[in-house]
Amino acid sequence: MSRGKHHPPRPKPANSEGMLIANDLKKDRGWTDTQIKTFLPEPDQTARNPFSRKAAPMKLYALERVEAIEATPEYQKAREASRTRQIAARTRALAKKKEAVAAAQALELSIVPEPWQEMQDKAIAHFNSRLRRSQSPASRNTSKARLDRLTVNYLRHKQTSYEEELKEFKGVVGVGEAYLVVRNRILDLIADTYPQLRDECERQKFEAPELPEGVHLPDSLQLSERVPLSDAVTR
């Protein structure tokens, strides 16, 4: 199996032609740690770790021996059982993610409308109270694009139930997907309440989100140029 341009070949010890390391077995050939311990309890040889002299010697497994084991009924049975468990685990995880997304779609979200200028002044004050060293203060004379961006951010975090709603998903399987659904529903709510901000709300749907600590997105939901991230969740 080719590693691809994003996965350069893993460094191996010198004089290890025809030998495999544990990562080769797992990443390229689909072995599990349990299968390695069961069918390859001892390596064919060891060699100094090319990453660090202080690290434990690397275990090397002869390709010829590995291929012979892979052809045995015992290994084939163990591999099929492992695949069955993996499929079952993925099915359960997918079901839980769908439940989290459905719950995120059903949440009651709210925003308290305020007069436009009064609300924008609050957004400017909020932004200026949190300035970083590299940032310049905002004012009513700030460019429309920047004002719209900081205003939407202010509304998302301070004038909606956004932060409280996200707490509902802490520790839940599918929290990343649920987070995106809630975030984009809030953006739609802001756009409906303040039509002046609709373009900025749509722009932020395509922006890589600032995820809460401990929340990660699966690779399939990384930033897309064409599809809003939360739309991809339900596909």
Side-chain angles (χ1 to χ4, degrees), residues 4-234:
K5 65 179 181 179
H6 298 300
H7 299 280
R10 290 177 288 269
K12 292 184 181 180
N15 302 318
S16 60
E17 292 77 10
M19 309 296 289
L20 303 175
I21 59 177
N23 272 341
D24 293 330
L25 294 171
K26 292 187 287 187
K27 299 296 183 182
D28 297 341
R29 306 183 74 87
W31 284 60
T32 66
D33 287 324
T34 299
Q35 289 165 4
I36 293 174
K37 290 178 182 179
T38 302
F39 296 97
L40 294 168
E42 296 297 332
D44 291 287
Q45 65 184 66
T46 59
R48 190 174 69 182
N49 193 304
F51 297 102
S52 171
R53 294 183 178 181
K54 296 181 180 179
M58 295 189 77
K59 296 178 180 180
L60 301 176
Y61 305 91
L63 175 59
E64 194 172 313
R65 176 188 174 200
V66 169
E67 290 177 335
I69 291 173
E70 289 176 343
T72 64
E74 293 80 9
Y75 177 81
Q76 292 295 326
K77 183 178 179 180
R79 188 181 182 90
E80 186 59 34
S82 177
R83 285 176 175 170
T84 299
R85 289 192 297 271
Q86 290 173 357
I87 291 172
R90 289 172 184 170
T91 300
R92 290 193 297 271
L94 180 59
K96 288 184 177 295
K97 288 181 180 181
K98 288 182 177 180
E99 290 176 6
V101 168
Q105 291 171 332
L107 282 175
E108 292 187 12
L109 305 178
S110 61
I111 186 171
V112 180
E114 293 184 285
W116 171 256
Q117 197 59 68
E118 180 181 334
M119 179 275 298
Q120 194 165 60
D121 285 342
K122 289 182 180 180
I124 291 171
H126 176 258
F127 176 81
N128 289 339
S129 70
R130 303 169 66 251
L131 278 180
R132 299 172 183 173
R133 291 183 179 181
S134 60
Q135 293 176 316
S136 58
S139 70
R140 290 189 182 183
N141 295 324
T142 298
S143 68
K144 182 180 185 303
R146 189 185 186 207
L147 273 181
D148 286 353
R149 182 168 62 253
L150 67 87
T151 301
V152 170
N153 290 342
Y154 165 75
L155 289 169
R156 282 173 51 205
H157 294 289
K158 294 298 180 181
Q159 294 298 95
T160 69
S161 52
Y162 180 76
E163 302 291 351
E164 287 300 316
E165 302 297 354
L166 289 179
K167 291 180 182 178
E168 296 288 330
F169 298 96
K170 185 176 182 180
V172 174
V173 174
V175 61
E177 291 86 343
Y179 175 91
L180 293 180
V181 170
V182 174
R183 185 194 75 153
N184 283 17
R185 286 188 61 210
I186 286 290
L187 288 171
D188 287 337
L189 181 59
I190 292 171
D192 291 340
T193 307
Y194 300 101
Q196 305 96 315
L197 298 172
R198 187 172 301 279
D199 288 346
E200 174 60 20
C201 289
E202 290 300 315
R203 187 195 68 79
Q204 289 198 17
K205 288 184 181 181
F206 293 88
E207 189 174 53
E210 295 180 5
L211 299 175
E213 184 177 355
V215 175
H216 305 282
L217 291 179
D219 291 340
S220 60
L221 290 180
Q222 295 304 318
L223 185 60
S224 167
E225 294 182 357
R226 297 184 178 179
V227 181
L229 289 171
S230 65
D231 287 357
V233 171
T234 56

